[in-house]
Amino acid sequence: MLKKTSHFIREANFIGGAWVEADSGATISVNNPANGQLIGTVPKSGRVETRRAIQAAEEAFHSWKRTSADHRAKLLRRLHDVIMDNQDALAELLTLEQGKPLAEAKGEVGMSAAYVLWYAEEGRRVYGDIVPSPWADRRILVTKEPVGVIGAITPWNFPSSMLARKLGPALAAGCTAVAKPASQTPFSGLAWGVLVEEAGFPEGVVNIVTGSASEIGDELTENHLVRKITFTGSTEIGKLLMQKASSTVKKVSMELGGNAPFLVFDDADVDRAVEGAMIAKYRNAGQTCVCTNRFFVQEKIYDRFVEKLVDATQKLNVGPGLEEGVHQGPLIDDGAVRKVEELIADATSKGGTIATGGKRHALGGTFFEPTVITGANPQMRIMEEEIFGPVSPIFKFREEEEAVELANATSFGLACYFYTNDLGRAFRVMEGLKYGLVGVNEGIITTVEAPFGGLKESGLGKEGGRQGIEDYLDTKYVCIGGLGL
Ligand code: NAP
């Protein structure tokens, strides 16, 4: 039976299959960024509740790891179906707490289900090796085993799919999990508790704790029972977690910040480039790790590209995500708006010109006008800092090498995009860009089948693809001797 949105709003932690409050009874308020209204509250938990969740996950691990891959695949397929049956309700919940347009929220929920389905199948293909032995009477086996309890910490910008990319492979591999969703969007995370319950997962296989990020993070990183930390969020917190996880030598995978360049060469199809630019920039109001942060456009095509991009940007409909026909919702909070304002002020003080937008939207709150800034240059803060808002700074370049050099002049290395119709250039530039994800003549490339992950300070490890399950597995070498052969 289809469930209403309210069915998925749980104001409690999910530990060992039970819905429980924080010991202190303290809570965190969750507000709708489109109108500031209170949606509900979630527990403000700390180390004690997290330790309990880890204990529950450890107990569940003993039996979960012994289930067959086929059994886990069946449960994951059921989980996929429960998500898709409730796609509308889950999308509405996501828009309520995160702000993105409903169509984007539906897309995200669909993506979550797709990750679960993908790993339902990948879990059945976790192969080991039999290695030719240098000894006549011994045999060498290499086996793969689930790492154990994993700790998953996720951000507010994709509160459903970022968890799916972690829970999907973890559960398929035979791991159990303690998840900590972002405090601004915890309901889409807690909804996974309802979903796994309804799909029939055993108690304790998935546990979800909300509350103090530093306390929960400290327990997850320092507790010996947790064998892996998987984090999506800012590079700053990622580095901190890596340091803390070193105290117990855990595996870590990190999906961190980005600073995506978008290169448009003179030979590109301008209309296609603008279409890609709109998705790569303004999706989720520019609040994605793979959002274009810097446009580099070759001089001969510059004016035409700017004109068309400005035109398309002015057509974006800004409003509450639940309203029909809205392309861009509010930013997550006032801090995000202030950061965008600061970066725009910095850019204009260093020679940039606002071609459209540039200020808070007339709707008030945290709505912001979709913005284009021309005449961008490397002295501006946007050259290195993530904007995380609907602002397109456009740099002009002359030579291909110069563009690649500018694109790589950042400590980040997550996504990049470029547009050209020259095949030789496509290979040269693709090979020259130091990024984990490259879109050639495409502005949106994330898909469950492909390994998603950054280079340099954008992270470690991959999510999605056949590679995405590796991080949840330990490799064991077994030497069987005395065979008398
Ligand atoms: P964030 O501030 O790093 O927060 C992410 C998560 O970490 C939240 O759950 C947060 O909890 C938690 N956290 C904060 N401080 C912590 C601590 N000391 N110990 C443990 N956990 C802690 O990032 P955000 O602002 O939510 O997300 C935006 C960032 O994520 C951007 O940099 C973006 O590029 C990146 N991102 C990367 C990817 C990718 O795949 N590479 C995908 C999406 C987003 P609270 O909410 O309770 O503070």
Side-chain angles (χ1 to χ4, degrees), residues 154 156 165 180 183 213 231-234 255-257 289 386 452:
T154 50
W156 52 263
R165 298 207 303 208
K180 183 238 167 283
S183 296
F231 172 74
T232 300
S234 61
E255 293 288 350
L256 309 178
C289 53
E386 252 187 316
F452 184 107

Side-chain angles (χ1 to χ4, degrees), residues 428-443:
R428 280 194 306 276
V429 174
M430 180 261 285
E431 287 163 11
L433 288 169
K434 194 88 181 125
Y435 286 84
L437 312 166
V438 187
V440 186
N441 297 326
E442 290 294 342

Side-chain angles (χ1 to χ4, degrees), residues 28 152-158 162 165-166 180-185 210-218 220-221 231-238 240-241 244 254-259 287-290 332 386 388 412 414 437 452-454 458-459 463:
I28 298 173
I153 303 177
T154 50
W156 52 263
N157 61 347
F158 287 92
M162 294 302 105
R165 298 207 303 208
K166 301 178 188 315
K180 183 238 167 283
S183 296
Q184 283 164 310
T185 56
T210 59
S212 159
S214 56
E215 283 198 39
I216 297 172
D218 284 357
L220 286 175
T221 46
F231 172 74
T232 300
S234 61
T235 297
E236 183 195 351
I237 301 296
L240 188 76
L241 292 172
K244 292 191 169 176
M254 296 280 149
E255 293 288 350
L256 309 178
N259 179 1
Q287 304 171 112
T288 88
C289 53
V290 293
I332 189 71
E386 252 187 316
F388 243 59
F412 294 104
L414 186 57
L437 312 166
F452 184 107
S458 287
E463 293 189 334

